[in-house]
């Protein structure tokens, strides 16, 4: 963003937000945002749905940049209504950092859920190529009252990366993952129906992350024809790109056995219906591990990603709970091996060991909401 655009944005946000902060905070007003208003998803969605199911008297407002079917008030990001509700809400819930110009009032509780467990480095642990983002993250994180973490080790990483008091990082697990540990056949059927997926299909979810040097685009390193020819009609291949990726450079989907589900907001629901996950460096595998279903890892550019783009908090090959492959033929071979019961059992044991370290908590949303003040302790 150019200097002039940054100045205009800063002036707009600061002037209007500070004006709206002259109004009193409204008790039980809750403002939700996920991925900068792009989606209704993640922890904000899980908290929203839990409050709805409990029939509380909270005023629930969503920041969404596109029309939706929510039965609640919706505002566009950085609109006058958004800034007004942000300035006057008792709770603001977000899974991404916000502009540091939007400093909340003292009696607003800022709940930051973050959007994934970090394998790749984030925030202040990135090098200075990300200096503009790092400064914004640092200032915004100073306003957070709570940040969710799935384990003590991840809580320590969050505390260091965002330079916040470790008392603000609560080791509770993430509300978004409650559906992954509870079998909900009604919801599963609903999701499959919405995507026109036959109940007889074995579902493979391919969810690669973005590359910082290829923002907004993604090159699919798979031959769609080969996947279909080798795996046959028993399998359905879902491709779900990161929210930072706008389109596939080489990706048209013209086969009934391959579906682009990037526009499907809730990746947790996609994980719930999938039998296998394939990813690279995306944090989705930390969440998917809760299902105890098999995973395969396809980091075809690992040297570049590790040494040039991001870097990792953990040794990749020894940490990920699944077989690591570097080419398409090996990937397909490992998928077919999953038909073997003994092989599948060994993979299950690997996932269980992984969960002991990284998913220590059985998620209890009601307990979490009490801890952050959204529900009374009584």
């Amino acid at each position: 963003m150019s200097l002039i655009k940054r100045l205009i944005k800063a002036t707009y946000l600061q002037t209007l937000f500070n004006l709206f902060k002259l109004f009193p905070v409204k008790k039980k007003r809750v403002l939700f945002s996920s991925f900068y208003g792009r989606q209704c998803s993640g922890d904000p969605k899980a908290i929203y749905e839990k409050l709805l199911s409990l029939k509380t008297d909270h005023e629930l407002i969503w920041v969404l940049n596109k029309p939706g079917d929510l039965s609640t008030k919706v505002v566009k990001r950085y609109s006058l209504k958004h800034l007004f509700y942000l300035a006057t809400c008792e709770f603001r819930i977000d899974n991404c950092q916000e502009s540091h110009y939007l400093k909340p009032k003292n009696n607003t509780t800022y709940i930051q859920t973050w959007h994934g467990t970090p394998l790749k480095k984030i925030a202040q642990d990135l090098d200075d190529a990300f200096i503009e983002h790092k400064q914004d993250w640092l200032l915004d994180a100073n306003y957070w009252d709570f940040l969710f973490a799935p384990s003590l080790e991840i809580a320590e990483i969050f505390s260091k990366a965002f330079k916040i008091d470790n008392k603000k990082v609560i080791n509770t697990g993430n509300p978004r993952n409650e559906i992954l540990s509870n079998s909900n056949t009604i919801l599963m059927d609903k999701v499959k129906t919405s995507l026109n997926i036959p109940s007889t299909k074995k579902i493979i979810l391919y969810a690669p992350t973005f590359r910082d040097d290829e923002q907004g685009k993604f090159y699919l390193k798979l031959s769609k024809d080969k996947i279909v020819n080798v795996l046959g009609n028993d399998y359905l291949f879902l491709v779900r790109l990161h929210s930072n990726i706008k389109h596939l450079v080489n990706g048209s989907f013209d086969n009934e056995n391959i579906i682009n589900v990037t526009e499907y907001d809730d990746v947790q629901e996609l994980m719930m219906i999938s039998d296998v996950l394939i990813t690279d460096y995306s944090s989705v595998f930390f969440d998917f591990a809760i299902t105890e279903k098999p995973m395969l890892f396809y980091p075809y550019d690992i040297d570049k990603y590790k040494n040039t783009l991001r870097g990792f908090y953990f040794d990749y090959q020894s940490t990920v709970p699944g077989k690591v492959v570097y080419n398409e033929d090996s990937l397909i071979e490992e998928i077919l091996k999953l038909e073997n019961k003994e092989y599948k059992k060994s993979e299950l044991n690997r996932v269980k060991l992984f969960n002991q370290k990284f998913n220590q908590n059985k998620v209890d949303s009601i307990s979490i909401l009490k801890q952050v003040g959204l529900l009374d302790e009584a």
Side-chain angles (χ1 to χ4, degrees), residues 293-311:
K293 292 183 284 193
M295 288 174 270
L296 297 171
F297 294 84
Y298 184 37
Y300 51 82
D301 57 351
I302 189 167
D303 290 335
K304 178 183 178 183
Y305 199 93
K306 179 173 64 175
N307 299 322
T308 306
L309 294 180
R310 279 288 182 118

Side-chain angles (χ1 to χ4, degrees), residues 62-73:
W62 263 96
V63 179
L64 276 178
N65 301 327
K66 60 184 181 182
D69 57 358
L70 295 176
S71 59
T72 192
K73 192 174 295 182

Side-chain angles (χ1 to χ4, degrees), residues 179-241:
I179 67 170
L180 298 180
S181 56
N182 300 320
S183 179
N184 187 334
T185 55
I186 295 175
L187 180 57
M188 291 175 68
D189 289 341
K190 180 180 177 182
V191 174
K192 288 183 179 181
T193 298
S194 70
L195 294 170
N196 295 316
I197 296 175
S199 59
T200 55
K201 294 278 189 178
K202 299 170 187 173
I203 301 173
I204 298 173
L205 175 63
Y206 178 43
T209 195
F210 68 97
R211 275 68 176 160
D212 293 294
D213 62 342
E214 295 179 357
Q215 285 278 20
K217 57 189 177 181
F218 184 77
Y219 295 87
L220 189 66
K221 304 295 185 186
L222 294 169
S223 166
K224 290 165 288 184
D225 290 338
K226 183 181 288 187
I227 290 170
V228 173
N229 289 337
V230 176
L231 296 182
N233 290 324
D234 291 339
Y235 287 89
L236 188 69
F237 207 86
L238 306 182
V239 179
R240 210 268 188 178
L241 303 181

Side-chain angles (χ1 to χ4, degrees), residues 227-329:
I227 290 170
V228 173
N229 289 337
V230 176
L231 296 182
N233 290 324
D234 291 339
Y235 287 89
L236 188 69
F237 207 86
L238 306 182
V239 179
R240 210 268 188 178
L241 303 181
H242 190 280
S243 64
N244 286 354
I245 303 168
K246 295 183 178 66
H247 61 276
L248 275 169
V249 173
N250 58 338
S252 61
F253 292 84
D254 52 6
N255 190 288
E256 62 181 5
N257 292 322
I258 302 178
I259 304 176
N260 186 348
V261 291
T262 299
E263 294 301 318
Y264 194 93
D265 279 357
D266 197 328
V267 71
Q268 256 66 27
E269 291 182 356
L270 296 176
M271 286 191 271
M272 180 182 62
I273 67 168
S274 297
D275 299 293
V276 182
L277 172 71
I278 300 172
T279 188
D280 42 30
Y281 323 109
S282 171
S283 63
V284 296
F285 76 86
F286 286 94
D287 293 357
F288 191 80
I290 294 171
T291 69
E292 297 188 343
K293 292 183 284 193
M295 288 174 270
L296 297 171
F297 294 84
Y298 184 37
Y300 51 82
D301 57 351
I302 189 167
D303 290 335
K304 178 183 178 183
Y305 199 93
K306 179 173 64 175
N307 299 322
T308 306
L309 294 180
R310 279 288 182 118
F312 303 128
Y313 287 110
F314 310 100
D315 177 72
Y316 184 87
Q317 284 86 349
S318 63
T319 299
V320 296
K323 291 292 177 66
V324 180
V325 297
Y326 303 97
N327 60 70
E328 184 182 41
D329 289 338

Side-chain angles (χ1 to χ4, degrees), residues 45-77:
K45 179 185 177 184
I47 294 171
Y48 165 76
E49 290 185 338
K50 181 60 68 173
L51 292 174
L52 278 182
S53 71
L54 295 172
K55 294 182 171 57
T56 66
D57 58 350
H58 292 83
E59 179 187 7
L60 308 178
I61 305 166
W62 263 96
V63 179
L64 276 178
N65 301 327
K66 60 184 181 182
D69 57 358
L70 295 176
S71 59
T72 192
K73 192 174 295 182
V74 172
V75 296
K76 286 190 175 181
R77 187 170 185 243

Side-chain angles (χ1 to χ4, degrees), residues 42-43 46 113-117 174-180 268 287:
D43 291 304
T113 71
W114 206 239
H115 47 271
T117 304
N174 295 85
R176 66 177 184 261
N177 288 329
E178 195 165 30
I179 67 170
L180 298 180
Q268 256 66 27
D287 293 357

